Amino acid sequence: MGFNGILTIAIFAVILIGLSKLVRIVPQGYEWTVERWGKYTHTLTPGFHLLVPFMQNVGRKMNMMEQVIDVPSQDVITKDNAVVKVDGIVFFQVLDAAKAAYEVSNLELAIINLVMTNIRTVLGGLDLDESLSKRDQINAALLKVVDEATHPWGLKVTRIELKDIQPPRDLVDSMARQMKAEREKRANILEAEGLRQAAILKAEGEKQSAILAAEGQKEAAFREAEARERLAAAEAKATEVVSQAIAGGDVNALNYFVANKYVEALKAMADSPNQKMLLLPVETTGVIGSLAGIAELAKNALSDQEAKRAAPPRGPAPPQVR
């Protein structure tokens, strides 16, 4: 190959390099910075662009989509001197390609170090229990601080999440024992409350039963007293009738009282649980005679009542003439 061939190839190569420097196609989701003689001039948005070869060059190719960075695990000392291992994740998005390209040297490393520093700051002001239970508040505090710090870099930190907070093993065991003791305590309290409620219900039932029993006894006593009152009234009436008969000269009325007491005495002796055999040194005819007297007394009383009903009513006495 001669000199002319080599020259032709070189010219063709220069033309190809110039065309490649002239035409720029930026893909969607990216922005490229343009530098003239090493100085930033403007930013290329997604699409077709033409640059002056050898004068304008592409500086940085910035990803404008939301990105995620893993925050490595680190040891953090809490307010109550407990050492925990914490890691996290950061979501951010570049809003200004020029600032993100030229305001910070290593963007991702800067974000990671900034988040790790603020994690130590936020968790250092909280107790262990608060660090484990208030994760949402911790995430919100980290997001606010880191977003304000990265704003001059043309970034927007959209979310910061703590993935895992690992306390020491001895603390985990202690917390497990504490949780078990707390659950046993609540179980004992519930059991005691159940026994107390059962005792109260049992006492209420016994009280109600005693009240009902007393009401029953009261009603029975009232009815028994009423029966005795009626029996006493009947006895008084019978005594009155017998007394009137005795006052009228009827001897059989005396036999009534004797027979009545006689029968009551026989009944009492017959009802005695210790008596297996009863010997009566009395005559049966006497009892029968007494009963006959009672029948005669009743007959006379009925005859007197009928006679009183059949007698004509007496009118007023005639006046006496002087």
Side-chain angles (χ1 to χ4, degrees):
M1 181 181 295
F3 176 76
N4 293 330
I6 296 174
L7 182 60
T8 302
I9 294 174
I11 294 173
F12 184 74
V14 170
I15 293 173
L16 290 178
I17 294 174
L19 291 175
S20 64
K21 296 289 185 180
L22 175 65
V23 179
R24 296 296 187 191
I25 299 177
V26 180
Q28 184 65 37
Y30 287 84
E31 289 185 2
W32 295 355
T33 62
V34 177
E35 298 176 356
R36 179 182 296 172
W37 309 118
K39 182 180 180 180
Y40 167 78
T41 57
H42 62 283
T43 302
L44 301 180
T45 58
F48 179 81
H49 299 276
L50 295 176
L51 297 180
V52 179
F54 306 107
M55 182 181 296
Q56 293 180 328
N57 295 318
V58 175
R60 305 287 180 85
K61 298 178 180 181
M62 303 304 300
N63 187 350
M64 305 302 291
M65 296 179 288
E66 188 172 4
Q67 304 176 58
V68 58
I69 301 176
D70 284 329
V71 179
S73 177
Q74 62 174 331
D75 292 334
V76 179
I77 301 176
T78 61
K79 185 178 180 180
D80 52 352
N81 297 325
V83 180
V84 295
K85 286 186 175 295
V86 184
D87 60 357
I89 190 171
V90 181
F91 295 86
F92 72 96
Q93 185 175 11
V94 177
L95 301 180
D96 192 332
K99 290 183 178 180
Y102 301 108
E103 293 294 335
V104 61
S105 176
N106 191 330
L107 182 61
E108 292 188 0
L109 182 61
I111 294 174
I112 291 174
N113 290 328
L114 183 62
V115 172
M116 292 179 66
T117 302
N118 284 278
I119 286 176
R120 290 194 295 269
T121 302
V122 173
L123 292 181
L126 299 176
D127 296 335
L128 178 61
D129 293 338
E130 294 176 343
S131 302
L132 297 175
S133 61
K134 298 182 179 180
R135 187 169 298 189
D136 291 339
Q137 298 180 10
I138 296 173
N139 294 336
L142 288 174
L143 178 62
K144 181 180 179 181
V145 174
V146 175
D147 186 42
E148 291 178 356
T150 58
H151 182 71
W153 301 343
L155 304 180
K156 174 62 179 177
V157 179
T158 57
R159 183 180 301 176
I160 297 178
E161 297 287 344
L162 297 181
K163 293 193 298 182
D164 193 14
I165 301 177
Q166 296 181 355
R169 186 62 188 176
D170 55 346
L171 287 180
V172 174
D173 296 338
S174 176
M175 292 170 61
R177 290 194 300 269
Q178 180 180 0
M179 181 176 60
K180 182 179 179 181
E182 186 66 24
R183 290 181 177 178
E184 291 179 352
K185 175 184 176 183
R186 282 184 285 180
N188 293 332
I189 291 174
L190 291 177
E191 183 179 0
E193 186 66 25
L195 294 176
R196 173 177 173 270
Q197 190 67 21
I200 292 175
L201 293 177
K202 182 178 179 181
E204 288 291 337
E206 292 177 353
K207 175 183 176 182
Q208 191 67 22
S209 177
I211 292 175
L212 293 176
E215 289 290 337
Q217 293 177 0
K218 177 181 177 182
E219 184 67 20
F222 176 77
R223 292 185 180 275
E224 184 179 358
E226 185 178 3
R228 289 179 179 178
E229 182 180 356
R230 291 182 180 180
L231 180 61
E235 289 289 341
K237 184 66 177 176
T239 303
E240 182 182 359
V241 172
V242 173
S243 298
Q244 291 177 358
I246 295 173
D250 193 348
V251 182
N252 291 325
L254 295 175
N255 294 331
Y256 168 77
F257 284 105
V258 175
N260 189 19
K261 297 299 182 179
Y262 189 81
V263 171
E264 289 180 358
L266 290 178
K267 181 180 179 182
M269 288 188 292
D271 292 338
S272 177
N274 296 325
Q275 297 297 331
K276 303 299 181 180
M277 180 180 296
L278 183 63
L279 299 177
L280 299 176
V282 295
E283 295 180 358
T284 308
T285 55
V287 178
I288 296 175
S290 300
L291 296 177
I294 295 170
E296 185 65 24
L297 178 61
K299 185 186 297 183
N300 294 335
L302 292 175
S303 298
D304 293 340
Q305 291 180 0
E306 292 179 357
K308 290 179 181 180
R309 292 176 183 174
R314 296 180 181 180
Q320 296 180 359
V321 180
R322 295 181 182 178

